Amino acid sequence: MTSQHTHQKSALLIIDVQQSFMHMPYWSSGQLAPFQQALLKLEAGCRQADVPVVHIFHIDDDAPFCADSGLIRAMDWLPGQPAARFDKHVHNAFTDTGLDNWLRRQGVQRLIISGIRTEQCCETTARVGSDLGYAVDFVSEATLTFPMTHKGTGQTFSAQDITTRTELVLADRFARIVNVDTCLSSL
């Protein structure tokens, strides 16, 4: 644990844990249970430590992500009201959302990243947050992604392969890679 990550006001960002994903062709509930368990433990621990919980939702032109789809809401198992909610239209949670201003008004210096998809909106938000000057804890076990096939080679990468790659490229450059217990112990 580095001193950079202790005694800083934190906020938990729960990114795109929304009903839309359950209507996508790649949706799989195979890793949902461990993700759900980790995220619920992280969310409860943050609330207990008075860390604001922020929900980020993605809206775009894909049918399940359209504003009028009725699916731009938290998955049923995600509890409670967030301290704030922001809707995004790009991969990161900062562009044109007001999130950065809200975090700065709250005195937040450290972001705790969780949500769906590990390598897409979670990783991109971690990178942008780091570039904006926040310390970032990337809680991999509280992120979820799905297998992907490389169009050029035909090679399929498992969700774990993708998560491992995200950890590799973020670690010590954009974020501290932590599990739920390590994250909570440093609040």
Side-chain angles (χ1 to χ4, degrees), residues 96-141:
D96 298 328
T97 63
L99 175 62
D100 186 43
N101 288 334
W102 185 88
L103 291 168
R104 293 187 192 284
R105 282 197 308 273
Q106 306 302 311
V108 170
Q109 301 160 304
R110 177 172 66 139
L111 307 177
I112 301 166
I113 304 288
S114 66
I116 305 174
R117 296 178 65 169
T118 308
E119 80 291 352
Q120 194 164 315
C121 297
C122 296
E123 178 179 330
T124 307
T125 297
R127 288 172 180 263
V128 173
S130 174
D131 283 352
L132 290 171
Y134 294 97
V136 178
D137 276 359
F138 195 89
V139 188
S140 299
E141 68 180 334

Side-chain angles (χ1 to χ4, degrees), residues 6 9 27 41 51 75 100 102 120 141 187:
T6 56
K9 182 161 183 186
W27 173 257
K41 182 177 180 181
V51 170
M75 291 186 177
D100 186 43
W102 185 88
Q120 194 164 315
E141 68 180 334
L187 294 179

Side-chain angles (χ1 to χ4, degrees), residues 12 14 43 47 53-57 74 78-80 82 84-86:
L12 171 61
I14 300 178
E43 197 264 3
R47 286 188 187 272
V53 175
V54 179
H55 288 189
I56 312 291
F57 293 104
L78 198 59
R85 173 195 168 142
F86 296 92

Side-chain angles (χ1 to χ4, degrees), residues 87-100 124 128 132:
D87 293 337
K88 64 183 183 58
H89 299 89
V90 296
H91 296 106
N92 80 81
F94 290 100
T95 301
D96 298 328
T97 63
L99 175 62
D100 186 43
T124 307
V128 173
L132 290 171

Side-chain angles (χ1 to χ4, degrees), residues 1 4 25-27 50 53 68 74 115 124 132 153 156 161 164 181:
M1 179 176 3
Q4 167 187 346
Y26 53 77
W27 173 257
D50 292 322
V53 175
D68 61 359
T124 307
L132 290 171
T153 66
T156 297
D161 291 338
T164 299
D181 290 337

